[in-house]
């Protein structure tokens, strides 16, 4: 395994200066945004797509710092009921898949997207309960749309030999492991998870159990290292479906935290060990969204902890069991 970084927190500096900084911290992989919500500050999609010269310069820069790209990030909503917004997100995703193939990057990270609750609605609708019955009907409509769309994208990804890693996220159709498994079963093995534990914590999901569940289905294509802290005093009053602004920290029932500030080092070692048990040996891509610390400090503290948690070598034979 290797420590990686999702690079938007360093958007205030060019890739040419971000890479030596990350290399000095022991980072071995980056996950740059190429559009959508992550933006594309470090890797502008149009500048590199189909341009062999630009791609060669990028490869040289990465090689200089012994760095690889673990995935291209393009989080958006291609199932949006606004046709213009959906078309833009779809174009971004398809171009990201082509660019990943051209750069020999095996994975694109994204969201599942979220449709409206019916063909005449104007906004996406996140449905979390089957009653009243019109909600169950709406959810069925959403899944029909999602399966049609992601089945087509799976074919595109297969042609380009790229995996699609979907982050389970609230306000998206796929937000927990069973939904992730269903989408994969309905569309094919190119569709899998960008396993980000941060939104699973506040849903009450046990992270190692979720890893085992998806790992048994070979459904983990990429992993984010991102922590969450639940603040019980607030959660006891209003639960965890909290619409309080992220920067109103004292009044939220949970916050994104740097790795180690939501769960301790032992927990993260359990995550790493369980990932190895299910055969994952890729990057742990740190996503910093901790509003209580700066980007650099948050990244550096996360890297420091993960360096003690990740395995750098392959296991030998269990000679003691012979």
């Amino acid at each position: 395994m290797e420590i990686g970084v999702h690079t938007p927190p360093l958007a205030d500096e060019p890739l040419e200066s971000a890479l030596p900084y990350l290399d000095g911290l022991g980072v071995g992989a980056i996950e740059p945004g190429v559009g959508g919500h992550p933006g594309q500050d470090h890797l502008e999609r149009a500048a590199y797509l189909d341009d062999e010269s630009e791609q060669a310069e990028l490869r040289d820069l990465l090689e200089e710092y012994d760095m690889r790209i673990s995935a291209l990030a393009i989080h958006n909503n291609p199932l949006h009921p606004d046709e213009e917004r959906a078309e833009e997100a779809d174009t971004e995703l398809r171009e990201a898949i082509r660019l990943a193939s051209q750069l020999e990057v095996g994975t694109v990270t994204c969201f599942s997207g979220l449709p409206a609750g019916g063909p005449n609605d104007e906004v996406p609708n996140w449905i979390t309960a089957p009653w009243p019955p019109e909600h169950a009907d709406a959810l069925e409509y959403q899944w029909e749309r999602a399966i049609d769309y992601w089945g087509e994208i799976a074919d595109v990804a297969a042609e380009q030999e790229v995996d699609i890693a979907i982050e389970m996220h609230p306000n998206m159709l796929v937000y927990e492991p069973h939904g992730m498994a269903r989408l994969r079963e309905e569309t094919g093995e190119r569709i899998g998870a960008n396993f980000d534990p941060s939104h699973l914590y506040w849903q009450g999901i046990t992270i190692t159990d979720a890893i085992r569940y998806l790992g048994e289905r070979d459904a983990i294509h990429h992993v984010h290292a991102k922590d969450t802290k639940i603040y019980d005093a607030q959660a006891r009053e209003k639960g965890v479906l909290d619409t309080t602004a992220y920067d109103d920290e004292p009044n939220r029932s949970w916050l994104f935290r740097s790795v180690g500030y939501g769960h301790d080092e032992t927990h993260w070692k359990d995550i790493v060990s369980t990932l190895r048990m299910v055969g994952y040996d890729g990057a742990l891509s740190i996503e910093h969204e901790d509003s209580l610390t700066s980007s650099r400090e948050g990244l550096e503290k996360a890297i420091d902890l993960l360096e003690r948690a990740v395995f750098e070598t392959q296991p030998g034979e269990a000679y003691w069991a012979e």
Side-chain angles (χ1 to χ4, degrees), residues 47-49 51-60 103:
Y48 290 92
L49 188 63
D51 191 320
E52 294 182 1
S53 176
E54 290 289 336
Q55 292 173 17
E57 289 187 17
L58 175 61
R59 289 191 182 93
D60 289 343
L103 292 173

Side-chain angles (χ1 to χ4, degrees), residues 229-250:
K229 174 70 174 179
I230 296 175
Y231 294 92
D232 291 333
Q234 288 76 18
R236 284 194 297 267
E237 293 176 355
K238 59 181 176 178
V240 294
L241 292 174
D242 193 350
T243 57
T244 305
Y246 282 114
D247 58 0
D248 186 7
E249 295 93 348

Side-chain angles (χ1 to χ4, degrees), residues 168 175-178 180-181 193 195-201 203-220 267 271 274-275 278:
M168 296 169 282
Y175 60 91
E176 47 75 35
H178 282 244
M180 182 71 258
F195 191 97
D196 184 329
S198 63
H199 284 291
L200 306 185
Y201 288 122
Q203 293 182 65
I205 294 170
T206 301
I207 302 306
T208 49
D209 288 351
I211 291 171
R212 286 176 180 269
Y213 176 80
L214 290 174
E216 289 170 357
R217 292 158 175 78
D218 295 322
I220 299 176
H267 172 79
I271 288 177
T274 308
L275 285 168
V278 302

Side-chain angles (χ1 to χ4, degrees), residues 92-298:
E92 289 177 340
L93 177 59
R94 291 172 187 266
E95 290 183 352
I97 293 169
R98 284 178 50 220
L99 180 58
S101 178
Q102 292 172 11
L103 292 173
E104 299 180 309
V105 174
T107 307
V108 169
T109 56
C110 58
F111 292 142
S112 67
L114 183 67
N120 299 318
D121 293 354
E122 295 183 354
V123 295
N125 190 343
W126 187 38
I127 297 167
T128 59
W131 189 92
E134 59 265 29
H135 292 270
D137 294 340
L139 188 59
E140 182 178 353
Y141 165 81
Q142 291 179 324
W143 271 102
E144 288 173 357
R145 284 215 55 213
I147 291 167
D148 285 346
Y149 178 78
W150 287 105
E152 182 180 340
I153 292 297
D155 291 340
V156 173
E159 290 173 2
Q160 299 292 332
E161 298 184 337
V162 171
D163 287 332
I164 304 299
I166 291 174
E167 181 177 340
M168 296 169 282
H169 197 285
N171 290 313
M172 295 290 160
L173 183 63
V174 171
Y175 60 91
E176 47 75 35
H178 282 244
M180 182 71 258
R182 177 182 177 183
L183 188 64
R184 178 177 172 83
E185 289 166 6
E186 297 276 10
T187 59
E189 64 182 15
R190 286 292 174 177
I191 304 297
N194 176 27
F195 191 97
D196 184 329
S198 63
H199 284 291
L200 306 185
Y201 288 122
W202 62 260
Q203 293 182 65
I205 294 170
T206 301
I207 302 306
T208 49
D209 288 351
I211 291 171
R212 286 176 180 269
Y213 176 80
L214 290 174
E216 289 170 357
R217 292 158 175 78
D218 295 322
I220 299 176
H221 290 331
H222 194 258
V223 173
H224 271 177
K226 184 180 175 186
D227 214 336
T228 294
K229 174 70 174 179
I230 296 175
Y231 294 92
D232 291 333
Q234 288 76 18
R236 284 194 297 267
E237 293 176 355
K238 59 181 176 178
V240 294
L241 292 174
D242 193 350
T243 57
T244 305
Y246 282 114
D247 58 0
D248 186 7
E249 295 93 348
N251 295 308
R252 281 192 57 81
S253 57
W254 59 267
L255 289 173
F256 295 131
R257 299 306 316 274
S258 300
V259 171
Y261 282 81
H263 297 80
D264 64 15
E265 185 171 322
T266 298
H267 172 79
W268 281 95
K269 287 179 176 177
D270 284 344
I271 288 177
V272 167
S273 298
T274 308
L275 285 168
R276 169 151 285 188
M277 287 180 190
V278 302
Y280 182 80
D281 199 31
L284 301 179
S285 185
I286 298 168
E287 182 180 20
H288 172 83
E289 291 183 346
D290 188 339
S291 61
L292 296 181
T293 185
S294 67
S295 294
R296 283 179 175 254
E297 183 175 14

